[in-house]
Amino acid sequence: AALLSHRCDDTAAEQAADLALRQINAHRKEGYVFRLYRIFSVREHPQEITGSVFYLVLDVVDTECHVLSKRLWKDCAARSAHTTVYGQCKAIIYINQARNIAHLNTYECTLQRVPPRYIWRVCPDCPVDDCPTEPKYLEAAVQSLAKFNEESEQTHYFSVLNVTRASMQWVVGPAYFVEFLIQETSCSKSD
């Protein structure tokens, strides 16, 4: 059978993109949930009996939800333009609606940050992303979490698992912005 081309706003194309993006996000162990920006292209290869294989090219942006949250991409807010990571995912997914099957055969996503020179043109004072593994960002995360541990009503202390995003902005001095994952420890606050 020949490959069928779909319009990107076609219902079948949108359903295939949604199912593919759900499975791509579920498969990932690091980073943030990808949100569909637009369907760049979609081709369908109908199978002999039932179902189809879809070849998708999806433009994506990252969201404010970490992949460990397991939230659906539609439930996650996109980041502001100056902090966005954007890119493209190519995916092959088999869908058989009659048998309720959606199997992601393969995918590859290529991502990049918005270059700082573009950010500074639009927003010269905006913070710019930096390497989250730098010690200054871990220190900022630890200080922030210490305040949370002190003020929260949780029964156990939490520790920093890792810093996932970091940026710096020069105001009167350096201002550090960090996003980080935490984990509950076995240390009780009552001990």
Side-chain angles (χ1 to χ4, degrees):
L3 284 175
L4 306 175
S5 291
H6 285 273
R7 289 185 24 216
C8 294
D9 62 351
D10 181 88
T11 303
E14 290 175 347
Q15 288 176 342
D18 176 51
L19 290 168
L21 205 48
R22 285 176 188 230
Q23 290 189 27
I24 289 169
N25 284 322
H27 182 260
R28 298 176 57 236
K29 303 292 183 237
E30 292 181 1
Y32 293 84
V33 171
F34 294 148
R35 183 174 179 83
L36 183 63
Y37 180 71
R38 73 176 174 164
I39 300 170
F40 185 78
S41 76
V42 58
R43 303 230 182 233
E44 179 183 4
H45 184 215
Q47 302 302 294
E48 288 181 16
I49 302 172
T50 56
S52 292
V53 175
F54 287 87
Y55 299 88
L56 303 164
V57 180
L58 309 173
D59 289 339
V60 297
V61 294
D62 70 345
T63 66
E64 295 176 355
C65 302
H66 196 275
V67 293
L68 296 181
S69 72
K70 304 293 184 196
R71 293 179 69 186
L72 297 177
W73 68 267
K74 289 181 178 182
D75 297 333
C76 295
R79 291 186 178 272
S80 60
H82 72 278
T83 62
T84 297
V85 173
Y86 66 98
Q88 200 168 69
C89 292
K90 296 177 181 179
I92 301 172
I93 186 168
Y94 170 75
I95 299 173
N96 183 327
Q97 289 183 335
R99 296 177 60 198
N100 201 25
I101 296 172
H103 176 73
L104 184 66
N105 294 332
T106 185
Y107 74 93
E108 180 182 352
C109 296
T110 306
L111 303 169
Q112 59 188 9
R113 295 190 181 282
V114 174
R117 66 181 180 273
Y118 295 124
I119 295 169
W120 290 329
R121 262 190 225 147
V122 177
C123 181
D125 296 329
C126 285
V128 177
D129 284 347
D130 200 0
C131 179
T133 58
E134 297 241 352
K136 62 187 172 192
Y137 297 117
L138 177 58
E139 183 180 323
V142 168
Q143 287 178 3
S144 178
L145 187 58
K147 182 174 171 122
F148 171 81
N149 279 328
E150 184 180 307
E151 295 175 359
S152 79
E153 295 180 16
Q154 302 291 324
T155 57
H156 288 82
Y157 287 104
F158 288 81
S159 66
V160 174
L161 184 60
N162 68 348
V163 177
T164 56
R165 286 191 86 139
S167 59
M168 196 268 291
Q169 178 181 25
W170 196 264
V171 186
V172 174
Y176 301 113
F177 303 92
V178 292
E179 294 180 24
F180 53 95
L181 297 175
I182 61 174
Q183 62 185 0
E184 189 173 11
T185 68
S186 58
C187 299
S188 170
K189 285 186 167 182
S190 61
D191 292 345

